[in-house]
Amino acid sequence: MTEGAQHRRVETGERYDVFHTDCLARDMVDHVTSRWGVWVLISLRRNDLRFYELRESIQGISEKMLAQTLRTLVEDGLVWRKVEPTTPPQVTYGLTEFGRDVGEPLTELFDRITRRLRLAALDPA
Protein backbone atom coordinates (compact mmCIF):
# COMPACT_ATOMS: atom_id res chain seq x y z
CA MET A 1 0.00 0.00 0.00
CA THR A 2 1.27 3.46 -0.84
CA GLU A 3 1.42 5.62 2.23
CA GLY A 4 0.49 9.24 1.76
CA ALA A 5 -1.00 8.71 -1.70
CA GLN A 6 -4.29 10.45 -2.29
CA HIS A 7 -6.80 8.18 -4.00
CA ARG A 8 -9.99 9.83 -5.12
CA ARG A 9 -11.79 9.08 -8.35
CA VAL A 10 -12.28 12.20 -10.46
CA GLU A 11 -15.83 12.05 -11.82
CA THR A 12 -16.77 13.17 -15.32
CA GLY A 13 -17.58 16.86 -15.36
CA GLU A 14 -15.52 17.53 -12.24
CA ARG A 15 -12.58 19.87 -12.33
CA TYR A 16 -9.32 17.97 -12.72
CA ASP A 17 -7.31 17.87 -9.51
CA VAL A 18 -3.66 17.31 -10.40
CA PHE A 19 -2.77 16.78 -6.75
CA HIS A 20 -4.59 13.44 -6.77
CA THR A 21 -2.77 10.40 -8.09
CA ASP A 22 -5.63 9.23 -10.32
CA CYS A 23 -6.03 12.50 -12.22
CA LEU A 24 -5.69 12.01 -15.99
CA ALA A 25 -4.22 15.49 -16.43
CA ARG A 26 -1.49 14.63 -13.91
CA ASP A 27 -0.56 11.54 -15.91
CA MET A 28 -0.34 13.56 -19.10
CA VAL A 29 1.80 16.26 -17.45
CA ASP A 30 4.11 13.49 -16.23
CA HIS A 31 4.42 12.16 -19.80
CA VAL A 32 5.01 15.58 -21.36
CA THR A 33 7.59 16.62 -18.78
CA SER A 34 9.35 13.26 -18.63
CA ARG A 35 13.05 13.23 -19.38
CA TRP A 36 12.49 12.42 -23.07
CA GLY A 37 8.92 13.65 -23.63
CA VAL A 38 10.00 17.28 -23.61
CA TRP A 39 12.70 16.64 -26.21
CA VAL A 40 10.38 14.69 -28.51
CA LEU A 41 7.84 17.53 -28.48
CA ILE A 42 10.55 20.14 -29.10
CA SER A 43 12.12 18.04 -31.89
CA LEU A 44 8.79 17.73 -33.69
CA ARG A 45 7.91 21.43 -33.36
CA ARG A 46 8.97 22.37 -36.91
CA ASN A 47 8.81 19.17 -38.97
CA ASP A 48 7.40 15.68 -39.01
CA LEU A 49 10.27 13.25 -38.55
CA ARG A 50 10.92 9.59 -39.16
CA PHE A 51 11.98 7.44 -36.22
CA TYR A 52 15.68 7.46 -37.08
CA GLU A 53 15.63 11.25 -37.62
CA LEU A 54 14.12 11.72 -34.16
CA ARG A 55 16.73 9.40 -32.66
CA GLU A 56 19.51 11.40 -34.31
CA SER A 57 18.03 14.76 -33.24
CA ILE A 58 17.82 13.78 -29.55
CA GLN A 59 21.34 12.90 -28.45
CA GLY A 60 21.57 10.37 -25.65
CA ILE A 61 18.20 8.67 -26.14
CA SER A 62 18.17 4.94 -26.77
CA GLU A 63 15.90 3.34 -29.36
CA LYS A 64 14.00 1.63 -26.55
CA MET A 65 13.33 4.89 -24.65
CA LEU A 66 12.40 6.73 -27.84
CA ALA A 67 9.93 3.99 -28.78
CA GLN A 68 8.40 3.98 -25.26
CA THR A 69 8.15 7.77 -25.16
CA LEU A 70 6.57 7.95 -28.62
CA ARG A 71 4.09 5.20 -27.73
CA THR A 72 3.00 7.12 -24.64
CA LEU A 73 2.71 10.46 -26.46
CA VAL A 74 0.70 8.81 -29.26
CA GLU A 75 -1.65 7.24 -26.67
CA ASP A 76 -2.05 10.68 -25.04
CA GLY A 77 -3.04 12.20 -28.40
CA LEU A 78 -0.06 14.56 -28.54
CA VAL A 79 1.79 12.83 -31.39
CA TRP A 80 0.49 11.04 -34.48
CA ARG A 81 2.16 8.04 -36.10
CA LYS A 82 2.05 7.09 -39.78
CA VAL A 83 3.40 3.77 -41.07
CA GLU A 84 4.27 3.42 -44.77
CA PRO A 85 3.90 -0.19 -45.96
CA THR A 86 7.44 -0.53 -47.30
CA THR A 87 10.23 -2.95 -46.46
CA PRO A 88 11.38 -2.01 -43.90
CA PRO A 89 8.35 0.04 -42.82
CA GLN A 90 8.87 3.80 -42.77
CA VAL A 91 7.36 5.30 -39.62
CA THR A 92 6.83 9.05 -39.42
CA TYR A 93 5.80 11.06 -36.36
CA GLY A 94 4.37 14.53 -36.01
CA LEU A 95 2.52 16.70 -33.53
CA THR A 96 -1.24 16.68 -33.39
CA GLU A 97 -3.03 19.99 -32.90
CA PHE A 98 -3.16 19.19 -29.19
CA GLY A 99 0.57 18.35 -29.23
CA ARG A 100 1.40 21.68 -30.88
CA ASP A 101 -0.71 23.48 -28.30
CA VAL A 102 0.98 21.69 -25.39
CA GLY A 103 4.44 21.94 -26.94
CA GLU A 104 4.28 25.68 -27.59
CA PRO A 105 5.07 26.74 -23.99
CA LEU A 106 7.88 24.15 -23.87
CA THR A 107 9.37 25.59 -27.05
CA GLU A 108 9.03 29.10 -25.65
CA LEU A 109 10.74 28.03 -22.42
CA PHE A 110 13.54 26.34 -24.37
CA ASP A 111 14.00 29.44 -26.55
CA ARG A 112 14.10 31.75 -23.49
CA ILE A 113 16.71 29.59 -21.79
CA THR A 114 18.95 29.40 -24.86
CA ARG A 115 18.67 33.19 -25.41
CA ARG A 116 19.65 33.79 -21.78
CA LEU A 117 22.60 31.41 -22.05
CA ARG A 118 23.81 33.17 -25.22
CA LEU A 119 23.57 36.55 -23.50
CA ALA A 120 25.40 35.23 -20.44
CA ALA A 121 28.18 33.87 -22.68
CA LEU A 122 28.59 37.31 -24.30
CA ASP A 123 28.57 39.16 -20.99
CA PRO A 124 29.68 36.84 -18.16
CA ALA A 125 29.56 39.66 -15.59
Side-chain angles (χ1 to χ4, degrees):
M1 181 175 229
T2 309
E3 229 176 271
Q6 301 171 10
H7 296 281
R8 182 178 72 86
R9 192 83 217 143
V10 177
E11 298 298 325
T12 305
E14 267 190 64
R15 187 174 153 263
Y16 286 101
D17 188 350
V18 296
F19 295 104
H20 288 278
T21 57
D22 59 352
C23 178
L24 297 175
R26 180 178 179 161
D27 289 341
M28 192 170 293
V29 168
D30 287 345
H31 299 159
V32 168
T33 61
S34 70
R35 178 174 183 186
W36 300 114
V38 170
W39 299 115
V40 168
L41 293 176
I42 289 173
S43 292
L44 291 172
R45 72 183 181 242
R46 291 194 181 106
N47 296 311
D48 304 337
L49 297 172
R50 292 189 38 207
F51 184 88
Y52 79 90
E53 293 171 322
L54 264 171
R55 190 185 67 225
E56 289 176 6
S57 72
I58 306 171
Q59 294 185 3
I61 193 170
S62 68
E63 282 190 28
K64 178 183 174 183
M65 285 310 304
L66 178 57
Q68 287 177 356
T69 301
L70 286 167
R71 189 175 311 115
T72 301
L73 295 174
V74 167
E75 288 171 5
D76 286 343
L78 298 164
V79 171
W80 56 260
R81 178 181 190 264
K82 180 180 175 188
V83 180
E84 294 290 330
T86 59
T87 306
Q90 293 181 1
V91 184
T92 305
Y93 295 90
L95 294 178
T96 63
E97 183 180 335
F98 182 40
R100 283 189 300 278
D101 191 37
V102 168
E104 190 176 320
L106 297 174
T107 298
E108 188 177 314
L109 175 65
F110 177 76
D111 291 344
R112 284 181 183 198
I113 290 170
T114 54
R115 274 194 308 272
R116 178 62 64 132
L117 290 174
R118 271 190 240 119
L119 289 173
L122 295 174
D123 183 21

